[in-house]
Structure formats: structure tokens, C-alpha cells
Amino acid sequence: MSTAPDQQRREESAGLMEYSTESLVPFGPIHPALKEPEYFKLVLEGERIINVIPRIGYVHRGLEKAAESRPWVQNMYMFERTCGICSFVHSVCYGQAVEELTMFQTPRRAKYLRTIILEMERIHSHLLWVGLMGHWAGFDTLFMWVWNDREVVLDLVEAIAGNRVHKSMNAFCGVRRDLPENMTDRIVERMRFLTDRARYYRDVIDTEETMLKRTENMGRVSADTVEKLCAVGPMARYVGLKRDVRFDDPYAAYDEVPLDVITTTQGDVHALLRLRLDELIVSANMVTYAVQNLPDGPIRVKIPPIIPAGEHSSHCEAPRGEIFYYAKSTGGRTPDRIKSRQPTMANIPTALEMLKGQTLADIPIVLTAIDPCFGCMDRMSFYDTETNHKWTWSGEQLRQYGINYYFPERAKKQRDIARKAAPAANQCLKEEF
Amino acid sequence: MSQMSETLTQLEKYAEEAGTKITPLRKNESLVEVVQDRLEPFLGHLVNDLQIRHLMTITGLDLGQNLGITYEFFKERDTIHVRLLVPKTKPQAASIVNIVPGAILYEMELQDMFGIEFIGNPWKDHKLLLPDEWPADLPPPLLKTTKADQIRRRLGLEAAKP
Amino acid sequence: MFRFMLEKPTTEAYPFKPIQLTERFRGKLDIDPAKCTGCQVCALVCPASVITMVDLGTRKVGDRELKVRRPLFDLSTCILCGECVDNCAFNALEMTKRFETATPNKAELLMNKAIVQ
């Protein structure tokens, strides 16, 4: 980070007149190896990555600004849609930040139900991730089998909440739906099934040559760097830092349900695989315990639509790390300020450190190892080696380029119209295209 | 909160040195307001002496006359908000990347969203979240005075359904 | 694993066979016009601004003229959350099990059953 002037010089000198061994390769925003668009400028020497310069913000939707003009309850649904995989934990975290401003307490049964759905979401997210790692390692059979088992937990969630992804089950000071009757045995049996499957997959990744060769000794970062860069979730736990919000600052029912925080000191991508599968087994045990010891009582307390003035924050453990929400109220129907910080943002500096020293072909595996969840738009970056001038196309220029390429007659008609309208502007058009 | 944890008791000492005091909020949260020139030594004590290393995020607030920069730290059940106020007429602050290297992206986000300039941040000329063609005369998005319609019109986006 | 060869495949043969839905599945919204009284609570709680109340004239109650309003649903933006169903005091709304609602004609997604009486 402190070598920014060096970075810039390297960028500008990459591939120029003098014969240099370094090259600048853009990775993204649209790339077959990426789930969501993000743009990395890689400085390579041969095949090894020396430096990475990120550019995120491709799916910036302006949720924090939008939240300031919507009533509190509507924001709960909007923040649920920040992410598809960890949608429930976003609504729980937002709900908790706002509930503390009111005088109402969440009933105990609601806390247990929240814990059950949160852990089921963690199971589904980790299974999704293990499948993706198999896919990027070229091991598509693992991908198919793991996602097959993921259907088990998605069907359970659909039976409880009504929807597989955006559960819409949380409300302020409670949950909206209770467990259906006679579901306890089914849940316990399915959790046992998932535990057996997770143990089997753990065997697979420990013994299968493909996975071992692609994931061992990759993505090593020292524990000191990880702590300084404030990484969260499995990215902190895989180097031995015991950081888990469920343990450090219990919320929902985590002070009553037994929890095991898994850490490992192995420190590479293979360790992340084992870590997440072990966490899956712990989550399945927690769901079994919670379902069998569910307390009686109401599931919801209705609160008035106006939240008293004050400010409060709350953090939760999503499958990817720590989510942080801050809510400030001035006693109205709409919030004054809501800040939400997703775990991937906290993990990006660590991800950049992980990438240094890897080869170009390992980027999908190492990037997916941090379990990224970013988002969308397209840019093209230009570098004129002769004049040393860099510029980026805007969306409008990109669109025009597309028209010129695919519809030459339409482009010609556009140029004729423009030529008749403004003769002085012709010069600019000719130069651009 | 009837009983303060050990961390907070020690923190009070450093807060006094910085000429301020700790305000407890609800449920394990506390707020400390510090002025700019006392901020670095205070954060130095926090990170080096009290081992409060985990910076959760940096939140920006629009407080009318001033902009509030809140550094949120966390250790073992205590959430500590360290707030710095900068005037809107001169929105500048010193970067803390040499104390907490993980703050780099959060400061870039505040630069984009509130227009606060962090002196000393190595990536301070790069945009993080805003598009490259953000018009220079359009004010930063998260200020209360910037309206969503204004942003939509200037960026050429369609108006959303009311 | 040989287990997989003995089990039936997990792929569901939809659309050639009907798909299994759970009891709580949230599909397209439906209203019973007879039960709706125009109290507009559904319009106030909807997070996606789907419901607009349409004025249908007035009616006499005692010696006062009260406005009659009924909801108009633009289901193209409905997020299927179920807030309106939960908050309706007269049980006029329900979520059906219909999910095959794609249509090239946007006017089909405008539900005005409560207005056209």
C-alpha cells in the first residue's frame, strides 16, 4: 500500500519501449472466471502476480441513500435484497440495530427461530461455496453432488418460510412465521444426513489429487498481516485468529445454543475448504439442538411505525464474515442514516495480499476462496503506449462502439444527421471513432 | 450500563489525556468524541496499549454544519465509536492507515460518498464506488442536500416509478 | 458412489411433470373483492409500492358523505413478501400457488378485481 508511487510508475512503464519483464493485464469486469463483475489490474512478471490494483463499485446501488427516504419496515425488505445468499442475516442485523432503539424486547422463541434459519443459511452458503471451488478446480462432479445436497436445506427453508432465497421472515422484535407442526423430526433427520455428506466431502478434499494440487500452499498470508488489515470471518480464522461474532458478542440465541469456533493454523486455501466444511457440521448440530429445545411463547411483538431518536449499531456473523449495521433515528417514520458494511469489503485488502505470488491460472481459485459477494457495470480501459495517456470509455461511448460495429448503416445515418446539424462538431466525431 | 469492563476503565484514562470523556450508549456501546490533533495519539493508545485492533468500519454522518467521521472499534463485547467532527466548509482529515492499515478502503468510500479528503491515504486519487464519469460539479451523494432526482438527472438515468 | 446409481435422479422433470410446492409457498397475489372494505392498510405497508387506492365515488353513511376507495395492484413490481396478506384485517388477500406468471402483455399483471365490481 505504501508503494503507490512505485505502483503508478510500474503501471505506466509496463510494456513500453524498454524491454521490461512486467506486463499489465486487466482481469474483469466481465470474465468467465468471475461470478460477479469486479475489475483487477494485475501487474504480472511472466506468470506470477506481483501487484493487484482493484476497482470495485460495479454493483453500487445506492442503498444507503435510498434507505433515507423509505419507512423503517420497507427498509427491512430492501436490505434483505443486498445479497441473495446471506439475505436473512442482513435483515436480522438491521432489525437488531433498530430494535435496540425501541423499548421492546424480542421474545425468546423468536430468537431461537432466528438462530435456526441463520444456521440453515450458513449451511446452504457453505455448500454453495464448496461446489464453486470444485467447479473452478475443474472438478465438476463435486460441484454437481454438493449442489444436489444443497437442495435438502433449501427445501427445508421453503417449508418454513415460503421462499428459498429471500426468506422475508424477519420483522422488528420477532419473526413472521413459526415452525410448521411435526417438523422437528424431519429437520433432525435431514441435518444428520447433511453431516454425513459433509464428512464424506471432507474425505474427498483430503485425498483427491485434483483438489490437493489446486488448493494446497495457495493463498498464504501471515497472521500479522491479516490482523492489521482487519479481515473478518473465515479469512481471519484460517490463519489462527479466533474471530467470530457469535462467540465474541452473542446475539439472537447464541448465548444458549452450544457453539464451537473452528480455527486452523494451516493457512492456505485447502485449510479454508476444511474450515468451511467443519463449520457446516457445527451448524447442523446447532440446528438440531435449537429445534429440540425450542422454548414456548409468542413469536412476535408488534411495534409502532415510529422509532424513537437515538443511534445504535449491531454486528452479526454472516457466512462470509462480520456484517455491521449502524442506524440513526431522529424520531421519524424514515431513518436518518443507515450504514451497512459487508464482509467482503473488509476482506478485499487481505484478498489482494493473497493474490500476490500466485500464477495467473490460480486466480479463480484464490479469489473464490475468500467467498466474494460483490456486484455490476462495464468499462473498457485504454492505454496508449506512445503518448503514455490513459483513459476509460464511458458507458455512452461503449454503446456507440457497439452500434458502429454491428450496425454500420445505422452508424452512418447517425453521422450524416450529425454532420448536417452541427458542422463544427464533426471534427470531434471523426476523432473519436 | 452499571459496570464498565476493564478495557473501558483503561480507556477512560486515555480519553482524559485527549481532553474528552466516554459517553456510554445502550448495550455495550460507548462513544468518544475526539478532536483532530488528539486523534492520532488516542488511536495509538487504543491499538498498541489496549490491543483493540479490529476496526469494523468508518461511518460518515451528515450533521448539518459538520460531517462526522466515526471509527468503529470492537474488542470482546465492547463496541467503541470514536467520532471526529470536520466542518463542511473544510472537509479534510488525516488518514489513519499507518496506525490501522485496514482502514484504506473505508476512507476511500467516505471520500466518494461525502467528499472528505483523507490526507495521507495512498489511494486517495482513485474512485472506489462512484463511476469514473461522476460530474465534478455534482455534490457527493450521501449529503442531505443532494437529492436522488438530481443524481438521476445528471447521470442520465430514467426516473424511477414514484 | 454406487448409492447414486440406485437412487432415482434428483432432477425434477418440470415442465413435463408438475412440481412439488410446499404449503407455505408464496405465489401470485389474489384478492376477494367481497371482503375488501378499502381501509388502505395494504397500500401503507407494501414495501414495493404495488398498491394504489383508486377513488370510486362516495356513499352516504348517516348524514355524512364518505369516500369509497378500492385498491389497484400493479403486480409487475410485487416482491411476494406477504406483508399485505398479514396486515389485512378482513382476510381479503391471499397468496396463491401460481408462479408461472410470465406474460408478454404487461396489462395482464394489473389486478383490478376490487375495482371492477
Coordinates of all heavy atoms in Angstrom, one line a residue, chain A residues 66-140:
Chain A
A66 N -31.0 5.4 -0.6 CA -32.4 5.0 -0.8 C -33.1 4.7 0.6 O -34.3 5.0 0.7 CB -32.5 3.8 -1.7
A67 N -32.3 4.3 1.5 CA -32.9 3.9 2.8 C -33.4 5.2 3.6 O -34.3 5.1 4.4 CB -31.9 3.2 3.7
E68 N -32.8 6.3 3.2 CA -33.2 7.5 3.9 C -34.6 8.0 3.6 O -35.1 8.9 4.2 CB -32.2 8.6 3.7 CG -30.8 8.3 4.4 CD -29.8 9.3 4.1 OE1 -30.1 10.3 3.5 OE2 -28.6 9.0 4.4
S69 N -35.2 7.5 2.5 CA -36.5 8.0 2.1 C -37.5 7.0 2.2 O -38.6 7.1 1.6 CB -36.4 8.5 0.6 OG -35.9 7.5 -0.2
R70 N -37.3 5.9 2.8 CA -38.3 4.8 3.0 C -38.6 4.6 4.4 O -37.7 4.7 5.3 CB -37.8 3.5 2.4 CG -37.8 3.5 0.9 CD -37.1 2.3 0.3 NE -37.4 2.0 -1.0 CZ -37.0 2.8 -2.0 NH1 -36.3 3.8 -1.8 NH2 -37.3 2.5 -3.3
P71 N -39.8 4.2 4.8 CA -40.1 3.9 6.2 C -39.3 2.7 6.6 O -38.8 1.9 5.9 CB -41.6 3.5 6.1 CG -42.2 4.1 4.9 CD -41.0 4.2 3.9
W72 N -39.2 2.6 8.0 CA -38.3 1.6 8.6 C -38.6 0.1 8.1 O -37.7 -0.6 7.8 CB -38.5 1.6 10.1 CG -38.0 2.9 10.7 CD1 -38.7 4.0 10.9 CD2 -36.7 3.2 11.1 NE1 -37.9 5.0 11.5 CE2 -36.7 4.5 11.6 CE3 -35.5 2.5 11.1 CZ2 -35.5 5.1 12.1 CZ3 -34.3 3.1 11.6 CH2 -34.4 4.4 12.0
V73 N -39.9 -0.2 8.0 CA -40.2 -1.6 7.7 C -39.9 -1.9 6.2 O -39.4 -3.0 5.9 CB -41.7 -1.9 7.9 CG1 -42.1 -3.3 7.5 CG2 -42.0 -1.8 9.4
Q74 N -40.1 -0.9 5.4 CA -39.7 -1.1 4.0 C -38.2 -1.3 3.8 O -37.8 -2.1 2.9 CB -40.2 0.1 3.1 CG -41.7 0.1 3.0 CD -42.1 1.1 1.9 OE1 -41.2 1.6 1.2 NE2 -43.3 1.4 1.8
N75 N -37.5 -0.7 4.7 CA -36.0 -0.9 4.6 C -35.6 -2.3 4.9 O -34.6 -2.8 4.4 CB -35.3 0.1 5.5 CG -35.2 1.5 4.9 OD1 -35.1 1.6 3.7 ND2 -35.2 2.5 5.8
M76 N -36.4 -2.9 5.8 CA -36.0 -4.3 6.1 C -36.0 -5.2 4.9 O -35.1 -6.0 4.6 CB -37.1 -4.8 7.1 CG -37.1 -6.3 7.3 SD -36.4 -7.0 8.7 CE -36.6 -6.2 10.1
Y77 N -37.1 -5.0 4.0 CA -37.1 -5.8 2.8 C -36.0 -5.3 1.8 O -35.5 -6.2 1.0 CB -38.5 -5.6 2.1 CG -39.5 -6.3 2.9 CD1 -40.4 -5.6 3.8 CD2 -39.7 -7.7 2.9 CE1 -41.3 -6.3 4.6 CE2 -40.6 -8.4 3.7 CZ -41.4 -7.6 4.5 OH -42.3 -8.3 5.3
M78 N -35.7 -4.1 1.8 CA -34.7 -3.6 0.8 C -33.3 -4.2 1.2 O -32.6 -4.6 0.4 CB -34.7 -2.1 0.8 CG -33.9 -1.6 -0.3 SD -34.0 0.2 -0.5 CE -33.0 0.7 0.8
F79 N -33.0 -4.1 2.5 CA -31.7 -4.6 2.9 C -31.6 -6.1 2.8 O -30.5 -6.7 2.7 CB -31.3 -4.1 4.3 CG -30.8 -2.7 4.3 CD1 -31.6 -1.7 4.9 CD2 -29.7 -2.4 3.6 CE1 -31.2 -0.4 4.9 CE2 -29.3 -1.1 3.6 CZ -30.0 -0.1 4.2
E80 N -32.7 -6.8 2.8 CA -32.7 -8.2 2.7 C -32.2 -8.6 1.3 O -31.6 -9.6 1.0 CB -34.1 -8.8 2.8 CG -34.2 -10.2 3.0 CD -35.6 -10.7 3.2 OE1 -36.5 -10.0 2.6 OE2 -35.8 -11.7 3.8
R81 N -32.5 -7.6 0.3 CA -32.1 -7.9 -1.1 C -30.7 -7.4 -1.4 O -30.3 -7.3 -2.6 CB -33.1 -7.3 -2.0 CG -34.3 -8.2 -2.1 CD -35.6 -7.5 -2.3 NE -36.7 -8.5 -2.4 CZ -37.3 -9.0 -1.4 NH1 -37.0 -8.7 -0.2 NH2 -38.3 -9.9 -1.6
T82 N -29.9 -7.1 -0.4 CA -28.5 -6.7 -0.6 C -27.8 -7.9 -1.2 O -26.9 -7.8 -2.1 CB -27.8 -6.3 0.7 OG1 -28.6 -5.7 1.5 CG2 -26.6 -5.5 0.4
C83 N -28.1 -9.1 -0.7 CA -27.4 -10.3 -1.2 C -28.4 -11.4 -1.2 O -29.3 -11.5 -0.4 CB -26.3 -10.6 -0.2 SG -25.4 -12.1 -0.5
G84 N -28.2 -12.3 -2.1 CA -29.1 -13.4 -2.2 C -28.8 -14.6 -1.3 O -29.6 -15.2 -0.7
I85 N -27.4 -14.8 -1.1 CA -27.0 -15.9 -0.3 C -27.1 -15.7 1.2 O -27.4 -16.6 1.9 CB -25.6 -16.3 -0.7 CG1 -25.5 -16.4 -2.2 CG2 -25.2 -17.6 -0.1 CD1 -24.1 -16.6 -2.7
C86 N -26.8 -14.4 1.6 CA -26.9 -14.2 3.0 C -28.0 -13.2 3.3 O -27.8 -12.2 4.0 CB -25.6 -13.7 3.6 SG -24.7 -12.5 2.6
S87 N -29.2 -13.3 2.7 CA -30.2 -12.3 2.8 C -30.8 -12.2 4.3 O -31.0 -11.2 4.8 CB -31.3 -12.6 1.8 OG -32.0 -13.7 2.2
F88 N -31.0 -13.4 4.9 CA -31.6 -13.3 6.2 C -30.7 -12.6 7.3 O -31.2 -11.9 8.1 CB -31.9 -14.7 6.7 CG -32.9 -14.8 7.9 CD1 -34.2 -14.3 7.8 CD2 -32.4 -15.3 9.1 CE1 -35.0 -14.3 8.8 CE2 -33.3 -15.3 10.2 CZ -34.6 -14.9 10.0
V89 N -29.4 -12.8 7.2 CA -28.6 -12.2 8.2 C -28.6 -10.7 8.1 O -28.4 -10.0 9.0 CB -27.2 -12.9 8.2 CG1 -26.4 -12.6 7.0 CG2 -26.4 -12.5 9.4
H90 N -28.7 -10.2 6.8 CA -28.8 -8.8 6.7 C -30.1 -8.2 7.3 O -30.0 -7.2 8.0 CB -28.9 -8.4 5.2 CG -27.6 -8.3 4.5 ND1 -26.8 -7.1 4.6 CD2 -26.8 -9.1 3.8 CE1 -25.7 -7.3 4.0 NE2 -25.7 -8.5 3.5
S91 N -31.2 -8.9 7.2 CA -32.4 -8.4 7.8 C -32.3 -8.5 9.3 O -32.8 -7.7 10.0 CB -33.6 -9.0 7.2 OG -34.0 -10.2 7.8
V92 N -31.7 -9.6 9.8 CA -31.5 -9.8 11.3 C -30.7 -8.7 11.8 O -31.0 -8.0 12.9 CB -31.0 -11.1 11.6 CG1 -30.5 -11.2 13.0 CG2 -32.0 -12.2 11.4
C93 N -29.6 -8.3 11.2 CA -28.6 -7.3 11.7 C -29.3 -6.0 11.7 O -29.2 -5.2 12.6 CB -27.4 -7.3 10.8 SG -26.0 -6.7 11.7
Y94 N -30.0 -5.6 10.6 CA -30.7 -4.3 10.5 C -31.8 -4.3 11.6 O -31.9 -3.3 12.3 CB -31.3 -4.2 9.1 CG -32.3 -3.0 9.0 CD1 -31.8 -1.7 8.9 CD2 -33.6 -3.3 8.9 CE1 -32.7 -0.7 8.8 CE2 -34.5 -2.2 8.8 CZ -34.0 -0.9 8.7 OH -34.9 0.1 8.6
G95 N -32.5 -5.4 11.7 CA -33.5 -5.5 12.8 C -33.0 -5.2 14.1 O -33.5 -4.5 15.0
Q96 N -31.9 -5.9 14.4 CA -31.3 -5.7 15.8 C -30.8 -4.3 16.0 O -31.0 -3.8 17.1 CB -30.1 -6.7 15.9 CG -30.5 -8.1 16.3 CD -29.4 -9.1 16.3 OE1 -29.6 -10.2 16.5 NE2 -28.2 -8.6 16.2
A97 N -30.2 -3.7 15.0 CA -29.7 -2.3 15.2 C -30.9 -1.4 15.5 O -30.8 -0.5 16.3 CB -29.0 -1.8 14.0
V98 N -32.1 -1.6 14.9 CA -33.2 -0.7 15.1 C -34.0 -1.1 16.4 O -34.5 -0.3 17.1 CB -34.1 -0.8 13.9 CG1 -35.4 0.1 14.1 CG2 -33.4 -0.3 12.7
E99 N -34.0 -2.4 16.7 CA -34.8 -2.8 17.9 C -34.3 -2.3 19.2 O -35.0 -2.0 20.1 CB -34.8 -4.4 18.0 CG -35.7 -5.1 17.2 CD -35.3 -6.6 17.0 OE1 -34.5 -7.0 17.8 OE2 -35.9 -7.2 16.1
E100 N -33.0 -2.0 19.2 CA -32.4 -1.5 20.5 C -32.8 -0.1 20.7 O -32.8 0.4 21.8 CB -30.9 -1.6 20.4 CG -30.3 -2.9 20.8 CD -30.6 -3.2 22.3 OE1 -30.5 -2.3 23.1 OE2 -31.0 -4.4 22.5
L101 N -33.3 0.6 19.7 CA -33.7 2.0 19.9 C -35.1 2.0 20.4 O -35.5 3.0 21.0 CB -33.7 2.7 18.5 CG -32.4 2.9 17.9 CD1 -32.6 3.5 16.5 CD2 -31.5 3.9 18.7
T102 N -35.9 0.9 20.3 CA -37.2 0.9 20.8 C -37.1 0.3 22.2 O -36.1 -0.1 22.7 CB -38.1 0.0 20.0 OG1 -37.7 -1.3 20.1 CG2 -38.1 0.4 18.6
M103 N -38.3 0.3 22.9 CA -38.2 -0.2 24.3 C -38.7 -1.7 24.3 O -38.9 -2.2 25.4 CB -39.2 0.6 25.1 CG -38.7 2.0 25.4 SD -37.2 2.0 26.2 CE -36.3 3.2 25.2
F104 N -38.8 -2.3 23.2 CA -39.4 -3.7 23.2 C -38.3 -4.7 23.1 O -37.3 -4.5 22.5 CB -40.3 -3.8 22.0 CG -41.5 -2.9 22.0 CD1 -41.4 -1.7 21.4 CD2 -42.6 -3.2 22.7 CE1 -42.5 -0.8 21.4 CE2 -43.7 -2.4 22.7 CZ -43.6 -1.1 22.1
Q105 N -38.6 -5.9 23.7 CA -37.7 -7.0 23.7 C -38.2 -8.1 22.7 O -39.3 -8.3 22.6 CB -37.6 -7.6 25.1 CG -37.1 -6.7 26.2 CD -35.6 -6.7 26.2 OE1 -35.0 -7.5 25.6 NE2 -35.1 -5.7 26.9
T106 N -37.2 -8.7 22.1 CA -37.6 -9.8 21.2 C -37.9 -11.0 22.1 O -37.1 -11.4 23.0 CB -36.4 -10.1 20.3 OG1 -35.9 -8.9 19.8 CG2 -36.9 -11.0 19.1
P107 N -39.0 -11.7 21.8 CA -39.3 -12.9 22.6 C -38.3 -14.0 22.4 O -37.6 -14.1 21.3 CB -40.7 -13.4 22.1 CG -41.2 -12.3 21.2 CD -40.1 -11.4 20.9
R108 N -38.2 -14.9 23.3 CA -37.1 -15.9 23.3 C -37.3 -16.9 22.2 O -36.4 -17.4 21.6 CB -37.1 -16.7 24.7 CG -35.7 -17.1 25.0 CD -35.6 -17.5 26.5 NE -34.7 -18.6 26.6 CZ -35.1 -19.8 27.0 NH1 -36.3 -20.0 27.5 NH2 -34.3 -20.8 27.0
R109 N -38.6 -17.3 21.9 CA -38.8 -18.2 20.9 C -38.4 -17.6 19.5 O -37.9 -18.3 18.6 CB -40.3 -18.6 20.8 CG -40.6 -19.7 19.9 CD -42.0 -20.1 19.9 NE -42.3 -21.1 18.9 CZ -42.4 -22.4 19.0 NH1 -42.2 -22.9 20.2 NH2 -42.7 -23.2 18.0
A110 N -38.6 -16.3 19.4 CA -38.3 -15.7 18.1 C -36.7 -15.7 17.9 O -36.2 -15.9 16.8 CB -38.7 -14.2 18.1
K111 N -36.0 -15.6 19.0 CA -34.5 -15.6 18.9 C -34.1 -17.0 18.5 O -33.2 -17.1 17.7 CB -33.9 -15.3 20.3 CG -34.0 -13.8 20.6 CD -33.2 -13.6 21.9 CE -33.3 -12.1 22.2 NZ -32.8 -11.8 23.5
Y112 N -34.7 -18.1 19.0 CA -34.3 -19.4 18.6 C -34.7 -19.6 17.2 O -33.9 -20.2 16.4 CB -35.1 -20.4 19.5 CG -34.3 -20.9 20.7 CD1 -34.2 -20.0 21.8 CD2 -33.6 -22.1 20.7 CE1 -33.4 -20.4 22.9 CE2 -32.9 -22.5 21.8 CZ -32.8 -21.7 22.9 OH -32.1 -22.0 24.0
L113 N -35.8 -19.2 16.7 CA -36.2 -19.4 15.3 C -35.2 -18.6 14.4 O -34.8 -19.1 13.4 CB -37.6 -18.9 15.1 CG -38.7 -19.8 15.6 CD1 -40.1 -19.2 15.5 CD2 -38.7 -21.1 14.8
R114 N -34.8 -17.4 14.8 CA -33.9 -16.7 14.0 C -32.6 -17.5 13.9 O -32.0 -17.6 12.8 CB -33.5 -15.3 14.6 CG -34.5 -14.3 14.3 CD -34.1 -13.0 14.9 NE -35.0 -11.9 14.7 CZ -35.0 -10.7 15.3 NH1 -34.0 -10.5 16.1 NH2 -35.9 -9.8 15.1
T115 N -32.1 -18.1 15.0 CA -30.9 -18.8 15.0 C -31.0 -20.0 14.1 O -30.1 -20.3 13.3 CB -30.6 -19.3 16.4 OG1 -30.7 -18.3 17.3 CG2 -29.2 -19.9 16.5
I116 N -32.2 -20.7 14.1 CA -32.3 -21.9 13.3 C -32.2 -21.5 11.8 O -31.4 -22.1 11.0 CB -33.7 -22.5 13.5 CG1 -33.8 -23.1 14.9 CG2 -34.0 -23.6 12.5 CD1 -35.1 -23.6 15.3
I117 N -32.9 -20.4 11.4 CA -32.8 -20.0 10.0 C -31.4 -19.5 9.6 O -30.9 -19.7 8.5 CB -33.9 -19.0 9.7 CG1 -35.3 -19.5 10.0 CG2 -33.8 -18.6 8.2 CD1 -35.8 -20.4 9.0
L118 N -30.8 -18.8 10.6 CA -29.4 -18.3 10.3 C -28.5 -19.4 10.0 O -27.6 -19.4 9.1 CB -28.9 -17.4 11.5 CG -29.5 -16.0 11.5 CD1 -29.0 -15.4 12.9 CD2 -28.9 -15.2 10.4
E119 N -28.6 -20.5 10.9 CA -27.6 -21.6 10.7 C -27.9 -22.3 9.4 O -27.0 -22.8 8.7 CB -27.6 -22.5 11.9 CG -27.0 -21.8 13.1 CD -25.6 -21.3 12.9 OE1 -24.8 -22.0 12.3 OE2 -25.4 -20.1 13.1
M120 N -29.2 -22.5 9.1 CA -29.5 -23.1 7.8 C -29.0 -22.3 6.7 O -28.5 -22.9 5.7 CB -31.1 -23.3 7.7 CG -31.6 -24.4 8.5 SD -33.3 -24.7 7.9 CE -33.9 -25.7 9.1
E121 N -29.0 -21.0 6.8 CA -28.5 -20.2 5.7 C -27.0 -20.4 5.6 O -26.4 -20.4 4.5 CB -28.8 -18.7 6.0 CG -28.6 -17.9 4.8 CD -29.0 -16.5 5.2 OE1 -28.4 -15.9 6.2 OE2 -29.9 -15.9 4.6
R122 N -26.3 -20.6 6.8 CA -24.9 -20.8 6.7 C -24.6 -22.1 6.0 O -23.6 -22.2 5.2 CB -24.3 -20.8 8.1 CG -22.8 -20.7 8.2 CD -22.4 -20.7 9.6 NE -23.2 -19.8 10.4 CZ -22.9 -18.5 10.5 NH1 -21.7 -18.0 10.0 NH2 -23.7 -17.7 11.2
I123 N -25.4 -23.1 6.3 CA -25.1 -24.4 5.7 C -25.3 -24.3 4.2 O -24.4 -24.8 3.4 CB -26.1 -25.5 6.2 CG1 -25.9 -25.7 7.7 CG2 -26.0 -26.8 5.5 CD1 -26.9 -26.6 8.3
H124 N -26.3 -23.6 3.7 CA -26.6 -23.5 2.3 C -25.5 -22.7 1.6 O -25.0 -23.1 0.6 CB -28.0 -22.9 2.1 CG -28.1 -21.7 1.2 ND1 -27.9 -21.8 -0.2 CD2 -28.3 -20.4 1.4 CE1 -28.1 -20.6 -0.7 NE2 -28.3 -19.8 0.3
S125 N -25.0 -21.7 2.3 CA -23.9 -20.9 1.7 C -22.6 -21.6 1.6 O -21.9 -21.6 0.6 CB -23.7 -19.6 2.5 OG -22.6 -18.9 2.1
H126 N -22.3 -22.4 2.7 CA -21.0 -23.1 2.6 C -21.1 -24.2 1.6 O -20.1 -24.5 0.9 CB -20.7 -23.7 4.0 CG -20.1 -22.7 4.9 ND1 -19.5 -21.5 4.5 CD2 -20.2 -22.6 6.3 CE1 -19.1 -20.8 5.5 NE2 -19.5 -21.4 6.6
L127 N -22.2 -24.8 1.4 CA -22.4 -25.9 0.4 C -22.2 -25.3 -1.0 O -21.5 -25.8 -1.9 CB -23.7 -26.6 0.5 CG -23.8 -27.6 1.6 CD1 -25.2 -28.2 1.7 CD2 -22.9 -28.8 1.4
L128 N -22.8 -24.1 -1.2 CA -22.7 -23.4 -2.5 C -21.2 -23.1 -2.8 O -20.7 -23.4 -3.9 CB -23.5 -22.1 -2.4 CG -23.7 -21.3 -3.6 CD1 -24.9 -20.5 -3.5 CD2 -22.6 -20.3 -3.8
W129 N -20.5 -22.7 -1.7 CA -19.1 -22.3 -1.9 C -18.2 -23.5 -2.2 O -17.4 -23.5 -3.1 CB -18.6 -21.6 -0.7 CG -17.2 -21.2 -0.8 CD1 -16.7 -20.1 -1.4 CD2 -16.1 -21.9 -0.3 NE1 -15.4 -20.1 -1.3 CE2 -14.9 -21.2 -0.6 CE3 -15.9 -23.1 0.5 CZ2 -13.7 -21.6 -0.2 CZ3 -14.7 -23.5 0.8 CH2 -13.5 -22.7 0.4
V130 N -18.4 -24.7 -1.5 CA -17.6 -25.8 -1.8 C -17.9 -26.3 -3.2 O -16.9 -26.7 -3.9 CB -18.0 -27.0 -0.8 CG1 -17.3 -28.3 -1.2 CG2 -17.5 -26.6 0.6
G131 N -19.1 -26.2 -3.7 CA -19.4 -26.6 -5.1 C -18.7 -25.7 -6.0 O -18.1 -26.2 -7.0
L132 N -18.6 -24.4 -5.7 CA -17.9 -23.5 -6.7 C -16.5 -23.7 -6.7 O -15.8 -23.7 -7.7 CB -18.2 -22.0 -6.2 CG -19.5 -21.5 -6.6 CD1 -19.6 -20.0 -6.2 CD2 -19.7 -21.5 -8.1
M133 N -15.9 -24.1 -5.5 CA -14.4 -24.4 -5.5 C -14.2 -25.6 -6.4 O -13.2 -25.7 -7.1 CB -14.0 -24.7 -4.1 CG -13.8 -23.5 -3.3 SD -12.7 -22.2 -3.9 CE -11.2 -22.9 -3.4
G134 N -15.1 -26.6 -6.3 CA -14.9 -27.8 -7.2 C -15.0 -27.4 -8.6 O -14.2 -27.8 -9.5
H135 N -15.9 -26.4 -8.9 CA -16.1 -26.0 -10.3 C -14.9 -25.3 -10.9 O -14.4 -25.6 -12.0 CB -17.3 -25.1 -10.4 CG -17.6 -24.6 -11.8 ND1 -17.8 -25.3 -12.8 CD2 -17.6 -23.3 -12.2 CE1 -18.0 -24.6 -13.9 NE2 -17.9 -23.3 -13.5
W136 N -14.3 -24.4 -10.1 CA -13.1 -23.7 -10.6 C -11.9 -24.5 -10.6 O -11.0 -24.3 -11.3 CB -12.9 -22.4 -9.7 CG -13.9 -21.4 -9.8 CD1 -14.5 -20.7 -8.8 CD2 -14.6 -20.9 -11.0 NE1 -15.5 -19.9 -9.2 CE2 -15.5 -19.9 -10.6 CE3 -14.4 -21.1 -12.4 CZ2 -16.3 -19.2 -11.4 CZ3 -15.2 -20.4 -13.2 CH2 -16.2 -19.5 -12.8
A137 N -11.9 -25.6 -9.8 CA -10.7 -26.5 -9.9 C -10.9 -27.5 -11.0 O -10.0 -28.3 -11.2 CB -10.6 -27.3 -8.5
G138 N -12.0 -27.4 -11.7 CA -12.2 -28.3 -12.8 C -12.9 -29.6 -12.4 O -13.1 -30.5 -13.2
F139 N -13.3 -29.7 -11.2 CA -13.9 -30.9 -10.6 C -15.4 -30.8 -10.6 O -16.0 -30.6 -9.6 CB -13.3 -31.1 -9.2 CG -13.5 -32.5 -8.7 CD1 -14.0 -33.5 -9.4 CD2 -13.2 -32.7 -7.3 CE1 -14.1 -34.8 -8.9 CE2 -13.3 -34.0 -6.8 CZ -13.8 -35.0 -7.5
D140 N -16.0 -30.9 -11.8 CA -17.5 -30.6 -11.9 C -18.3 -31.6 -11.2 O -19.5 -31.3 -10.8 CB -17.9 -30.4 -13.3 CG -17.8 -28.9 -13.8 OD1 -18.1 -28.1 -12.9 OD2 -17.6 -28.7 -14.9

